[in-house]
């Protein structure tokens, strides 16, 4: 199930309560759903699912309370499934081939975008819009691309729009990540993450203006592996250094 088919997925806001070891899900018009992150509190079942074209293992959480909440918010019958390392004891053993490092992500663990590239897309939308076109008034901030990390220029050290496509590695605080390439984009980025409405932007403009090898792209993937995967720490406000 993806946002392209079920846009209301954008309305679910997850947060982790570290003190209570729970995952809390919020959605408009619904009471918060609290889910324990302790395996012993849950009824779990190993299953299989698909991420893009790849079959992966998953752990299904068997709970009528959770399934009914999700089904009500999304208006489709569904259940919660988790990446095995989150809940199965001993599943996070390093280099276990049954648990690929990229988890449920389709190419890499981390997606990074820059504020400067996002602003460039906004400028293109305004430039390409016809008079009185509502698209010219749409604000497409970096969160529209659903990144894990947003980078912005600091002081006089300015990042050029789409400069990140030339980076080969990125150091975030004390951890270095390899760039796995640009993120290919589809119409999912045109789903408004606040209202769940399907729009034409920013995908329409990116399709005209930003392609690499014929593919629509925005942002870059970062890879971590082995020891770094379990020890890397990323904090808001950390300094970013990129290598070409």
């Amino acid at each position: 199930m993806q946002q392209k088919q079920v846009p209301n997925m954008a309305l679910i806001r997850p947060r982790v309560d570290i003190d209570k070891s729970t995952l809390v899900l919020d959605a408009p018009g619904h009471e918060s759903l609290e889910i324990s992150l302790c395996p012993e509190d849950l009824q779990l079942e190993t299953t299989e699912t698909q991420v893009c074209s790849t079959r992966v293992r998953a752990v299904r959480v068997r709970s009528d309370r959770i399934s009914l909440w999700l089904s009500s918010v999304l208006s489709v019958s569904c259940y919660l499934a988790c990446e095995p390392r989150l809940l199965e004891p001993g599943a996070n053993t390093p280099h276990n081939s049954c648990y690929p490092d990229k988890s449920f992500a389709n190419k890499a663990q981390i997606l990074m975008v820059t504020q400067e590239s996002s602003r460039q897309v906004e400028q293109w939308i305004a430039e390409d819009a016809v008079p009185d076109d509502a698209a010219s008034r749409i604000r497409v901030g970096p969160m529209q691309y659903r990144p894990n990390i947003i980078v912005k220029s600091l002081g006089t050290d300015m990042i050029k729009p789409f400069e990140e496509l030339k980076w080969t590695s990125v150091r975030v605080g004390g951890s270095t990540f390899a760039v796995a390439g640009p993120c290919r984009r589809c119409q999912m980025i045109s789903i408004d993450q606040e209202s769940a409405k399907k729009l034409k932007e920013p995908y329409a403009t990116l399709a005209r203006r930003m392609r690499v090898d014929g593919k629509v792209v925005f942002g870059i993937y970062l890879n971590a592996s082995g020891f770094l995967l379990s020890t890397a720490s990323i904090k808001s406000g950390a300094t970013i250094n990129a290598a070409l």
Side-chain angles (χ1 to χ4, degrees):
M1 190 164 64
Q2 300 177 349
Q3 275 194 37
K4 283 186 289 186
Q5 291 80 33
V6 188
N8 277 358
M9 291 176 70
L11 301 178
I12 298 177
R13 295 290 185 267
R15 51 190 171 91
V16 175
D17 188 325
I18 296 177
D19 294 333
K20 298 173 67 176
S21 294
T22 58
L23 171 67
V24 182
L25 302 182
D26 296 302
H30 293 75
E31 294 185 359
S32 296
L33 175 68
E34 190 171 276
I35 305 168
S36 174
L37 293 177
C38 300
E40 58 268 23
D41 296 335
L42 302 170
Q43 184 178 354
L44 306 176
E45 175 184 271
T46 301
T47 184
E48 244 190 19
T49 188
Q50 185 166 313
V51 177
C52 293
S53 59
T54 304
R55 300 296 298 178
V56 297
R57 283 190 58 194
V59 173
R60 176 180 177 177
V61 180
R62 301 190 65 87
S63 166
D64 290 342
R65 177 180 66 91
I66 297 173
S67 297
L68 287 172
W69 189 94
L70 291 170
S71 299
S72 176
V73 172
L74 302 177
S75 299
V76 61
S77 180
C78 59
Y79 58 84
L80 178 66
C82 304
E83 207 278 345
R85 283 175 293 191
L86 295 177
L87 296 175
E88 286 189 354
N92 55 358
T93 301
H95 309 300
N96 186 337
S97 60
C98 294
Y99 301 90
D101 285 346
K102 67 180 182 179
S103 180
F104 280 173
N106 60 354
K107 185 171 180 179
Q109 302 98 339
I110 299 171
L111 173 61
M112 173 181 284
V113 305
T114 70
Q115 202 168 64
E116 286 70 21
S117 295
S118 177
R119 287 173 180 160
Q120 178 65 77
V121 175
E122 277 195 287
Q123 183 178 332
W124 284 339
I125 292 173
E127 291 173 355
D128 294 347
V130 298
D132 300 322
D133 187 350
S136 64
R137 298 188 295 274
I138 291 176
R139 298 289 297 175
V140 182
M143 286 302 294
Q144 185 66 28
Y145 304 97
R146 307 188 308 155
N148 302 107
I149 300 175
I150 300 173
V151 180
K152 65 178 181 179
S153 299
L154 181 64
T156 59
D157 190 13
M158 299 298 294
I159 300 172
K160 296 179 181 179
F162 300 103
E163 174 188 323
E164 64 274 18
L165 297 178
K166 299 178 181 179
W167 296 348
T168 59
S169 66
V170 177
R171 187 170 181 81
V172 184
S175 302
T176 300
F177 301 87
V179 175
C183 176
R184 290 177 53 182
R185 295 300 187 161
C186 63
Q187 289 88 348
M188 193 181 298
I189 59 172
S190 291
I191 297 174
D192 186 284
Q193 297 300 296
E194 297 297 327
S195 67
K197 292 181 179 179
K198 292 184 177 181
L199 309 171
K200 70 175 184 178
E201 298 294 358
Y203 182 79
T205 294
L206 281 175
R208 291 192 302 271
R209 297 270 203 157
M210 179 47 60
R211 290 178 179 265
V212 173
D213 296 329
K215 307 299 183 182
V216 180
V217 302
F218 190 92
I220 55 175
Y221 284 119
L222 304 183
N223 259 334
S225 61
F227 180 73
L228 178 61
L229 184 64
S230 60
T231 61
S233 176
I234 299 175
K235 298 181 179 179
S236 176
T239 300
I240 305 290
N241 295 284
L244 297 177

